[in-house]
Amino acid sequence: MKIRLLSPVLFLLLAGILLAACSPKYNWRDYASPDAPYKVMFPSKPASFTRTIDLDGTQVSMTMTAAEVDGATFAVGSAEAADEAHARAALPAMMKALLRNIGAADGGGKFNADSGGKATGDIDATGSTNGAPVRLVGHFEARGKRFYQVIVLGKANALPPEQVEQFLTSFKL
């Protein structure tokens, strides 16, 4: 009986196919921001950038850290306001800007504030970008002078509920 060995090229090709088949779409990893005091789990390797944004007349430098999987974007934006009042005011301004970006009238956003300097809000909205329907799910939070947006945006069928939930609930200050 003869044993025939696979050629090295065929072996590498088969190994690559097997590895690709075993590779998960969502490769969750812990992320601790070097710019703001938060931790979150991203579904793939995130990238960050900082730019100045206008929130109802207030200019702030916001750092966005995001990762994309199958057309769904998972992102955290963080910034620091001049004071606690401006940080709290930034939450509905960010939500309004995001809803406007996708042409959504309302995302059901309600904001709660406590006496400890914390304010939070959540949205779940549908709209469109470039003529394609999209869904936006987000959590907004302010603590002291810092404020955050934690969002998932993509085609509705590209946002598995369990993945959205994992991302949003992994956000910790």
Side-chain angles (χ1 to χ4, degrees):
M1 174 165 104
K2 270 188 170 179
I3 297 176
R4 190 169 176 201
L5 297 175
L6 293 175
S7 75
V9 173
L10 184 57
F11 176 77
L12 289 174
L13 180 63
L14 286 173
I17 290 170
L18 287 173
L19 287 174
C22 296
S23 176
K25 269 188 202 180
Y26 292 89
N27 184 6
W28 291 98
R29 60 198 65 211
D30 290 320
Y31 176 84
S33 172
D35 303 316
Y38 75 85
K39 292 181 180 182
V40 70
M41 288 184 69
F42 278 102
S44 66
K45 186 175 180 181
S48 296
F49 66 93
T50 302
R51 69 180 180 122
T52 301
I53 61 168
D54 183 307
L55 295 173
D56 284 346
T58 301
Q59 303 288 316
V60 295
S61 180
M62 179 173 268
T63 299
M64 290 295 291
T65 302
E68 186 176 333
V69 175
D70 282 347
T73 301
F74 297 76
V76 177
S78 64
E80 188 170 337
D83 55 39
E84 187 177 309
H86 282 95
R88 287 176 183 235
L91 300 184
M94 283 190 302
M95 184 184 79
K96 185 174 142 184
L98 286 167
L99 292 173
R100 185 176 50 243
N101 286 345
I102 64 168
D106 181 27
K110 293 182 176 99
F111 293 94
N112 303 308
D114 68 15
S115 58
K118 177 181 174 184
T120 62
D122 298 290
I123 62 170
D124 191 340
T126 56
S128 65
T129 56
N130 300 322
V134 294
R135 180 174 173 220
L136 169 69
V137 182
H139 172 75
F140 302 85
E141 192 160 336
R143 290 221 186 149
K145 297 187 327 181
R146 287 207 153 273
F147 57 95
Y148 308 87
Q149 67 179 23
V150 185
I151 62 167
V152 182
L153 175 69
K155 294 178 183 174
N157 61 356
L159 301 182
E162 63 278 359
Q163 306 301 339
V164 172
E165 181 73 15
Q166 181 165 342
F167 178 66
L168 294 176
T169 59
S170 74
F171 178 78
K172 305 288 184 232
L173 292 173

